[in-house]
């Protein structure tokens, strides 16, 4: 038996989430129909309320329920540090460290000209304006070390290098708990080149 | 920053799905708010339409959009074979083999008296009535080989053993592609006991 049109549509929609394959999507869909109906109806309502309440912060591009977002308005955050991230969700991950008290800026995408993401699509003009307003002493490019991440870091560094601002990036290497055996060659040779003296 | 009440509720609801941890739930929630709003609104609508359309088949307990379900009404399926499964979703998995053409019966739960799932909760009376109607020559207990699965198989076998019906269960052993090294001791010693002559 094939799935009904509705059920198949539900599976296909769930399948569009990152990291959710067809099999997981089927499992989630079955879970929804097999629970008390209120579970799924509440979920649907919560989805609607939540997405309707989110907007993009006009200062930093973060998805937030207020504009400007809490990070841009808080008087407790320092203008001296500006952390540049790819996505809004990266901010939550960094906040988990409970270490950083500066401002944020969300690019929305990494540079990838072949896919149509040039300097304009990553909001670099808006970033420059934000820098002019905040006058940070350090800009942390907290982007992932992939081909696109490296290209973006290089591009932003070129834009900013003459501005007498410290431009930093996150350390790269073998992750804690990671195994040499399971590290890919790029990670390994990068960690080798960046080896440092134990003290 | 803590998540807003809505967003937190969305994360917690997603977290209730099987196999979806808190981190994955956060990632899914972020994906919803960062896509075009129509994506999430369509998802919510599809969830509502789908769960509203599902009911339990009065003959076999399968979740289906019709009662009786397509497996119970189809004239192409054989009454001679009855396959007993734990959940409706197991039927989809078995149908994927494209091998079995008999009827199904969904217990809804495995026997687990300590958790309050006794003979009544697994619909064994309804199963007996179904058997009286269908007169199958073979009943396949396609239940998982866990403590509860074994208890259920044993209980149903006791109920059915005098009825001159072949009661079968799925083969147990090392899975294809599985590694001896990663098999647990139960699986291994069961596979050892059930070893067979290569021909």
């Amino acid at each position: 038996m094939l799935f009904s049109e509705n059920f198949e549509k539900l599976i296909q929609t769930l399948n569009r989430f990152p990291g959710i394959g067809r099999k997981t999507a089927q499992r989630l869909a079955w879970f929804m129909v097999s629970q008390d109906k209120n579970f799924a109806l509440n979920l649907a309502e919560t989805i609607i309320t939540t997405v309707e309440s989110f907007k993009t912060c006009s200062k930093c591009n973060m998805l937030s329920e207020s504009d400007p977002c809490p990070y841009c308005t808080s008087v407790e955050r320092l203008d001296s540090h500006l952390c540049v991230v790819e996505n809004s969700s990266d901010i939550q991950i960094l906040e988990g460290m409970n270490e950083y008290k500066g401002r944020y800026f969300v690019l929305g995408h990494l540079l990838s000209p072949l896919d149509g993401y040039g300097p304009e699509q990553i909001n670099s003009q808006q970033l420059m304006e934000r820098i002019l307003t905040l006058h940070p002493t350090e800009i942390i490019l907290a982007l992932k070390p992939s081909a696109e991440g490296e290209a973006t870091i290089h591009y932003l560094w070129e834009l900013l290098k003459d501005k007498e601002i410290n431009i930093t990036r996150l350390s790269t290497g073998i992750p804690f708990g990671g195994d040499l055996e399971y590290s890919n060659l790029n990670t390994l040779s990068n960690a080798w080149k960046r080896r440092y003296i134990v003290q």
Side-chain angles (χ1 to χ4, degrees), chain A residues 1-9 11 22 26 29-30:
Chain A
M1 186 186 71
L2 286 167
F3 294 122
S4 74
E5 205 181 320
N6 276 332
F7 198 65
E8 180 60 36
K9 190 179 160 197
I11 292 170
R22 169 99 194 163
Q26 279 186 22
W30 274 111

Side-chain angles (χ1 to χ4, degrees), chain A residues 131-146:
Chain A
I131 292 168
L132 282 178
T133 313
L134 294 171
H135 286 298
T137 56
E138 181 178 350
I139 296 176
I140 302 120
L141 304 175
L143 306 174
K144 64 178 172 221
S146 63

Side-chain angles (χ1 to χ4, degrees), chain A residues 31-44:
Chain A
F31 184 76
M32 285 191 210
V33 296
S34 56
Q35 293 300 104
D36 182 286
K37 277 203 184 0
N38 282 328
F39 170 76
L41 300 182
N42 280 335
L43 171 62

Side-chain angles (χ1 to χ4, degrees), chain A residues 77 91-101 104:
Chain A
R77 312 270 326 184
I91 295 179
Q92 299 307 320
I93 297 166
L94 292 168
E95 285 295 296
M97 300 186 302
N98 206 11
E99 175 111 3
Y100 177 67
K101 297 296 168 210
Y104 286 105

